[in-house]
Amino acid sequence: DQQVKQNSPSLSVQEGRISILNCDYTNSMFDYFLWYKKYPAEGPTFLISISSIKDKNEDGRFTVFLNKSAKHLSLHIVPSQPGDSAVYFCAATGTYKYIFGTGTRLKVLA
Amino acid sequence: DTGVSQNPRHKITKRGQNVTFRCDPISEHNRLYWYRQTLGQGPEFLTYFQNEAQLEKSRLLSDRFSAERPKGSFSTLEIQRTEQGDSAMYLCASSFARGGEFNSPLHFGNGTRLTVT
């Protein structure tokens, strides 16, 4: 029972262009959503979050969009840089348990 | 700024042996989590502490697994009689939140990679 789904295992983007990573969830009780970045041999690093009372949150090059009716969130990275190459996880919670997706591997091509 | 610290970084053990991992959270954080991650998967919830109280334990954790957080500071995760299926990255995370709120990010350590041979 995968409550948080990232259907694209990988994504390649040219440097300077926009990267869009997608995430779907099934549990309507989720009210806080997060994105993490993970490099090999390191733990996930928190990037940006959004509460269900908002539909957009922006932090520098990173913007998260939340569509509650579609149970969908996305992470936009503009402009994409080679250092953004990593695995990105979305996560959601409504209680103590943060549920993670399976990740999308982003490769930014120089 | 000291983040979440986990030791050891790597552990190789023979099947049937016991192992113990340690996590030192960010000092002002009152919540501590253990997650497990296997190849191609996202982190899976194992257990959660608020201060020193263990409030939830996933059914993923068999009775061979035990976690403690004495005095609400560092935490240990022990696996007894390890099996090859226990091979994974074990991640610790901490957060600060007031009361019953769950709207703050988890901050992860770099994990302990366990290999059971």
Side-chain angles (χ1 to χ4, degrees):
Chain A
D1 178 22
Q2 193 73 22
Q3 296 186 68
V4 178
K5 299 178 185 178
Q6 294 178 257
N7 292 318
S8 298
S10 64
L11 174 69
S12 291
V13 171
Q14 285 295 131
E15 181 180 6
R17 306 294 292 269
I18 184 170
S19 295
I20 299 176
L21 296 99
N22 294 304
C23 179
D24 297 295
Y25 62 96
T26 58
N27 190 337
S28 58
M29 299 302 291
F30 289 152
D31 59 7
Y32 182 61
F33 306 86
L34 312 92
W35 283 95
Y36 286 82
K37 177 170 72 173
K38 187 180 184 303
Y39 294 121
E42 294 185 10
T45 301
F46 169 68
L47 275 177
I48 191 168
S49 63
I50 187 167
S51 165
S52 60
I53 62 173
K54 295 185 174 182
D55 54 19
K56 177 182 173 181
N57 190 26
E58 197 170 348
D59 184 0
R61 296 185 299 114
F62 302 92
T63 303
V64 55
F65 294 92
L66 176 63
N67 182 335
K68 290 185 289 294
S69 61
K71 294 191 176 67
H72 177 83
L73 66 155
S74 61
L75 175 68
H76 292 207
I77 307 173
V78 181
S80 301
Q81 300 173 353
D84 296 329
S85 297
V87 178
Y88 289 78
F89 293 97
C90 65
T93 186
T95 64
Y96 58 86
K97 189 183 292 187
Y98 291 61
I99 308 293
F100 286 78
T102 53
T104 296
R105 182 177 300 278
L106 173 65
K107 188 171 184 179
V108 180
L109 307 169
Chain B
D1 176 26
T2 55
V4 177
S5 176
Q6 291 189 247
N7 289 289
R9 290 295 309 274
H10 303 275
K11 179 71 177 178
I12 300 174
T13 191
K14 291 185 189 297
R15 186 164 50 100
Q17 298 293 305
N18 299 344
V19 294
T20 300
F21 311 140
R22 177 179 171 124
C23 172
D24 288 273
I26 294 171
S27 57
E28 61 268 24
H29 285 184
N30 57 348
R31 292 179 178 166
L32 188 147
Y33 293 75
W34 285 97
Y35 277 79
R36 179 173 66 189
Q37 186 173 20
T38 53
L39 196 62
Q41 300 298 314
E44 293 178 294
F45 171 83
L46 292 179
T47 191
Y48 150 64
F49 291 84
Q50 176 131 347
N51 300 311
E52 67 275 10
Q54 185 175 18
L55 298 187
E56 186 64 29
K57 184 175 173 181
S58 167
R59 61 180 179 273
L60 290 174
L61 280 189
S62 72
D63 56 6
R64 296 184 297 105
F65 288 72
S66 62
E68 294 183 344
R69 192 183 182 199
K71 301 178 184 177
S73 56
F74 71 92
S75 176
T76 57
L77 178 68
E78 181 182 16
I79 309 174
Q80 296 182 327
R81 305 181 303 281
T82 52
E83 301 172 355
Q84 287 188 320
D86 298 331
S87 296
M89 174 76 83
Y90 289 83
L91 294 163
C92 176
S94 67
S95 70
F96 176 79
R98 295 180 183 81
E101 296 175 353
F102 291 94
N103 56 2
S104 56
L106 303 185
H107 297 272
F108 284 88
N110 284 329
T112 294
R113 179 165 295 285
L114 173 66
T115 302
V116 182
T117 62

